[in-house]
Amino acid sequence: MAKIGRNAPCPCGSGKKYKHCCLKKSQEAEREIQAQISLYGERLQAVLKAHAWLISDEDRREALEEAFFCDDESLRAGVAGEKDMIAHTVNSSIFAEWALAEAVEDIEDREDMEEVGFAGLVLRESPIRFSPEGREWIEALEGSTVSLYEVQQVERGRMLVRELVHGDADEWVESTGSLDVDQWDVAGIRLLPGREMRRIGVGVLNFPRDIGLELAKAFKKEIKRNAKRKQPGDERGSISALCLFAWMQMQYGERKADAMPQVAVGGTDEACCFVEDAYRVADWYALKKALASRKDVSWNGGQSDPAGAESWSWVWLERGAMGDGMDRVLAELRRKPKGLLVESMTKGRADAARAMLESLAGSPAVFVSRSTEDLMEAMERRDKARLTPAAKQDRPPAKVEIDIDTVQEVMTEYYTRWMDKPLPALGNRTPRHAATLKTQKAKVAELLKSMENNESRVAKSRGEQPMDFGFLWKELGLER
C-alpha cells in the first residue's frame, strides 16, 4: 500500500490531517511490532544455539534423527536432498524446538534418572550463556507439546485460539513473532506457560485449513479408539508427534506418486487427480437443451460478459450420494471461448462425463483433448508461482490507485448475491436457506471461515486491507 503523507487526509474518515489523527497510533503500532520481532528473535536465537550444541555430539545427533523421523526413510531423504538434513530442518526451527521440548536422552551411568530432557541437559551442561529471556524460554519449552488449533481472532500481540483435538477451552495466547497467522488458520501450535497468558512457540506448523480439520478428526478418533482399548498412554505426547510427522510429510515428503500417500476422492477408490477435458461444440443450443433434459445435471448459472459473449456452467451430480438429501458433484461443465471445458477430480469421473456427453442426442460435444495434474504437481506449481519477498519488491509500482472503499463495495455486492446462489456443497441450497437448517449451519459456517481465511491471505500478500466478512455472518444469523 502507498505510504500516507503526514498532511494527507486521515484514511479513518475523520476529516483531519493524518498527522493530527491516526499517525501517532500507527507509529505506536509499528514500534510494538518491532518489539515483538526483537523478542521473537531473542527466543529463536536461544533455541538455535541450544540445538547447535545438542547436535555437536554425533551420538546424540543420530538419536535425535531416529526419534524425529520415526525410521521413515523416504521422509528422511526428502528433507535431506543435497543439503545436511538437520541443518535444513532447523532453518524452520521446528526440529530445534521439538528436540528441546519433547526429546529425552537415556543416561545409563546415572542412578538418579533414566531419562533426561534435552532442555534441562542444555541448561545444566552446555557452556552457552543465554540472556535472561532466552534461558527462561528454554526452561518453559521442556515438556511442552503441540496440538491443532483454529485461530479465531487475531489482535496485536495476541490471538484467540480453539483447541481442536482434546476439547480444551478457548483461550487468548501471546502471539509474539507469529505475524503470519490469519483468522481461521488451522495450525499445529506449541503453547508454553506465561505470566498473563500462554505463549506460542517459535515454530508454528501451518496446514491448509481443510487438511488441518481432517487431521483433527483423525486424531480424535485415535484417542477414542485408545480409550476403548483402555490404553490411553501419553495422549498429548502422541498427538504432538503425529502433528509434527504430518507437517513434515507435507513439507518434505518425497514428491513421487508411488511414495506419497494417496488421497482418495469421496465415493471412489481413486486417488485425487485434477482433470480438464476440452470439447468442441458445433451447436450450443442443442447441448444446453440436452443437458437441461437430464435429471442428474443442474444449471449452475450463466451471464453475458461486456463484449456480449455468453458464459455458463452446469454441474453433473450423483443425486443423494452424500446423505441428508445432498448430492455429490461429479463434474463441472463450463462454456469457454474455444469450446466446452469439463473439470473432474478423478480420471474415472472424467471418463464417465465423456461417456455421458457422447450419449446425448446428436452428440453436440466432441472430445478434443485432456490435461491432468495430481496433488504433488499442483503443490509444486503453487510453490513456483509464489513470489519471494525480493521478487515482490521488484514488482513495478501500480499505475492506478484503487480506492479501498470501492473495492469493499464491489466485494460486498458480490458476496450479498452469493448468499442467494444455490451451491452444490450445500445440496444445491442457498447459503441463506442452509443457515436456517440445524443440519446445515455448521457447513455454512465452515464455508464462511474458508472464504474469510483465503481473502485475508490474498489481501496480506498484496499489502491490502482484508475484507470484513462480519455482515455475512450477521445476515445469515451465524455466530463467529
Side-chain angles (χ1 to χ4, degrees), residues 19 26 130 139 143 176 182 192 261 279 324 359-360 415 439 453:
K19 65 182 180 182
S26 297
F130 294 105
E139 290 174 346
T176 296
D182 291 286
L192 282 63
Y279 291 79
D324 296 326
S359 71
L360 297 177
Y415 282 113
T439 58
N453 180 253

Side-chain angles (χ1 to χ4, degrees), residues 148-155 158-164 170-172 178 180-189 204-214 216 415 441-458 460 466-474 478-480:
L148 285 172
Y149 291 84
E150 178 186 68
V151 179
Q152 299 197 308
Q153 292 184 46
V154 179
E155 297 180 0
R158 68 173 193 165
M159 60 190 186
L160 181 65
V161 296
R162 169 168 293 172
E163 204 277 333
L164 299 176
D170 297 358
E171 62 177 310
W172 286 96
S178 302
D180 192 36
V181 176
D182 291 286
Q183 189 179 30
W184 307 125
D185 275 355
V186 175
I189 295 175
V204 174
L205 314 174
N206 284 309
F207 290 97
R209 182 175 173 83
D210 54 344
I211 293 177
L213 293 175
E214 286 300 317
Y415 282 113
K441 273 189 176 182
K443 293 177 182 178
V444 180
E446 179 54 35
L447 276 176
L448 289 180
K449 289 178 181 179
S450 296
M451 289 160 48
E452 193 166 9
N453 180 253
N454 183 62
E455 289 284 355
S456 177
R457 287 202 166 273
V458 170
K460 181 181 286 187
M467 178 179 173
D468 182 6
F469 278 70
F471 79 98
L472 273 178
W473 291 87
K474 185 177 180 181
L478 299 172
E479 292 186 8
R480 258 173 153 164

Side-chain angles (χ1 to χ4, degrees), residues 39 83 90 123 171 275 289 306 310 319 401 429 443:
L39 183 58
K83 299 182 179 181
V90 79
L123 293 175
E171 62 177 310
V275 184
K289 184 177 179 181
E310 184 183 11
R319 297 292 188 184
E401 287 291 333
R429 302 178 182 90
K443 293 177 182 178

Side-chain angles (χ1 to χ4, degrees), residues 47 50 54 96-105 107 110 113 115-124 134-146 190-193 198-199 201 234 240:
V47 168
L54 281 176
E97 204 163 52
W98 166 83
L100 293 165
E102 300 183 59
V104 294
E105 181 176 41
I107 308 295
R110 297 186 184 182
M113 61 181 78
E115 291 184 336
V116 174
F118 280 125
L121 191 68
V122 168
L123 293 175
R124 285 192 302 273
R135 184 178 185 84
E136 189 277 330
W137 190 254
I138 299 297
E139 290 174 346
L141 271 173
E142 187 163 23
S144 62
T145 57
V146 172
R190 186 183 302 280
L191 291 183
L192 282 63
R198 292 205 285 174
R199 302 167 292 175
D234 180 11
S240 183

Side-chain angles (χ1 to χ4, degrees), residues 10 16 60 91 100 123 132 153 175 307 345 414:
C10 187
K16 299 179 182 179
R60 187 182 293 128
N91 287 338
L100 293 165
L123 293 175
Q153 292 184 46
S175 57
M345 288 189 68
Y414 169 81

Side-chain angles (χ1 to χ4, degrees), residues 4-41:
I4 304 171
R6 290 172 57 84
N7 293 313
C10 187
C12 75
S14 66
K16 299 179 182 179
K17 290 184 178 180
Y18 183 50
K19 65 182 180 182
H20 295 312
C21 192
C22 292
L23 174 60
K24 186 176 180 181
K25 292 181 181 178
S26 297
Q27 290 173 336
E28 289 175 352
E30 181 63 26
R31 283 194 292 270
E32 187 175 333
I33 290 173
Q34 291 304 318
Q36 289 181 30
I37 293 174
S38 177
L39 183 58
Y40 172 81

